Amino acid sequence: MVRFIIIVIILGLYLLLGIPVLGIEWIVGRFRKEKEDYQCLRMVQGAFKLMLKVTGAKITVIGEENVPDEPVLFIGNHRSYFDILLTYSRCKRLTGYVAKKEMLCYPLLRSWMKRLYCLFLDRESPREGLKTILEAIEYVKKGVSICIFPEGTRNDGEELSMLPFHSGSFKIAEKSGCPIVPISMNNTAEIFENHFPKIKKAHVIIEYGKPIYMDQMEKEQKKHISQYCQDLIQDTINKNQALV
């Protein structure tokens, strides 16, 4: 319970102290936009790394060298709120996450997320969902990677289970031409969700798969890209469970 309280305090202080920081960064961005972007990225990554250190989690990372130095579409399985901290803290390039629209209800958090190129998905409206995907495609074309969890929501089922992937997520790669990088995560729910509200030490496995280029795939493969990627991640988490 102590770890949970410390993390809440860190988050609260960061959001409050971040108000003047956002103002300063806005001024910097008027002259040097890229510098502002990367300063914001590194600041948030620093806070996330501190929170992860408080959890006491042991993090084993496999295949990070597979991530190419270009905008990509990250896709991964999703079982914990800490999935975002674990993956975002490792991003070398500007990366926006696709989050549920309900996150817009938190003003300070919303401001930081927008500043970090996050997008907000309305899961109840196909029209608004398409609009979000189109925005993500434009971000990629401008050099910003996108991370999305194609299950559409956090899966609270069995450890090695996965919800069906939504095929719309892959339109980002198809229309922008960027590679898809699968992220497979094991044991992340053991940090928090499996014993809410306590935060406990856990051994987490993160594996980055080799990039997938849709323009190099056969037509039939492209049609089933969501199932192809889900099967790939499923096989990887099954394999890596022995490492936990």
Side-chain angles (χ1 to χ4, degrees), residues 3-4 7 48 51-55 57 59 78-89 97 149 154 185 187-193 198-200 204 206:
R3 290 191 180 98
F4 176 78
I7 287 175
F48 282 0
M51 292 180 197
L52 289 171
K53 188 172 183 178
V54 171
T55 69
I59 305 168
H78 188 29
R79 291 186 49 77
S80 172
Y81 294 117
F82 280 90
D83 295 342
I84 298 165
L85 280 70
L86 288 160
T87 53
Y88 193 76
S89 62
Y97 278 58
F149 299 114
R154 186 171 52 83
M185 291 177 280
N187 214 37
T188 59
E190 189 58 27
I191 297 175
F192 179 56
E193 284 78 7
K198 294 181 179 180
I199 289 176
K200 293 186 176 182
V204 172
I206 305 173

Side-chain angles (χ1 to χ4, degrees), residues 183-225:
I183 306 177
S184 306
M185 291 177 280
N186 288 71
N187 214 37
T188 59
E190 189 58 27
I191 297 175
F192 179 56
E193 284 78 7
N194 287 352
H195 32 70
F196 174 86
K198 294 181 179 180
I199 289 176
K200 293 186 176 182
K201 294 181 181 180
H203 183 197
V204 172
I205 312 294
I206 305 173
E207 180 164 345
Y208 294 85
K210 293 182 179 180
I212 301 164
Y213 294 86
M214 289 188 68
D215 59 2
Q216 297 176 9
M217 301 178 78
E218 298 292 335
K219 185 177 180 180
E220 195 62 25
Q221 280 185 307
K222 287 183 184 179
K223 285 174 60 177
H224 303 287
I225 183 65

Side-chain angles (χ1 to χ4, degrees), residues 69-213:
D69 186 19
E70 61 179 307
V72 305
L73 173 66
F74 290 110
I75 55 117
N77 57 312
H78 188 29
R79 291 186 49 77
S80 172
Y81 294 117
F82 280 90
D83 295 342
I84 298 165
L85 280 70
L86 288 160
T87 53
Y88 193 76
S89 62
R90 309 199 70 84
C91 292
K92 293 180 174 60
R93 299 179 58 94
L94 297 176
T95 304
Y97 278 58
V98 178
K100 57 186 179 181
K101 72 167 186 176
E102 287 78 7
M103 298 303 293
L104 289 167
C105 298
Y106 306 98
L108 293 178
L109 186 59
R110 175 184 65 208
S111 297
W112 270 105
M113 291 178 73
K114 285 184 176 181
R115 185 61 204 78
L116 296 166
Y117 295 97
C118 290
L119 295 166
F120 302 90
L121 181 66
D122 184 346
R123 294 174 291 186
E124 304 301 320
S125 170
R127 183 176 180 178
E128 289 301 311
L130 177 60
K131 183 179 176 181
T132 301
I133 296 299
L134 292 174
E135 286 182 280
I137 293 167
E138 288 305 308
Y139 276 177
V140 172
K141 290 179 178 179
K142 292 176 181 177
V144 180
S145 293
I146 294 294
C147 182
I148 190 167
F149 299 114
E151 290 169 281
T153 188
R154 186 171 52 83
N155 173 23
D156 58 3
E158 295 296 322
E159 171 60 29
L160 297 178
S161 68
M162 292 174 65
L163 300 173
F165 277 14
H166 294 280
S167 59
S169 307
F170 297 87
K171 292 293 183 183
I172 300 170
E174 182 183 354
K175 300 300 183 182
S176 70
C178 76
I180 301 167
V181 176
I183 306 177
S184 306
M185 291 177 280
N186 288 71
N187 214 37
T188 59
E190 189 58 27
I191 297 175
F192 179 56
E193 284 78 7
N194 287 352
H195 32 70
F196 174 86
K198 294 181 179 180
I199 289 176
K200 293 186 176 182
K201 294 181 181 180
H203 183 197
V204 172
I205 312 294
I206 305 173
E207 180 164 345
Y208 294 85
K210 293 182 179 180
I212 301 164
Y213 294 86

Side-chain angles (χ1 to χ4, degrees), residues 159-160 186-187 205 236-244:
E159 171 60 29
L160 297 178
N186 288 71
N187 214 37
I205 312 294
T236 305
I237 62 174
N238 288 347
K239 168 181 68 76
N240 288 343
Q241 190 62 18
L243 304 176
V244 174

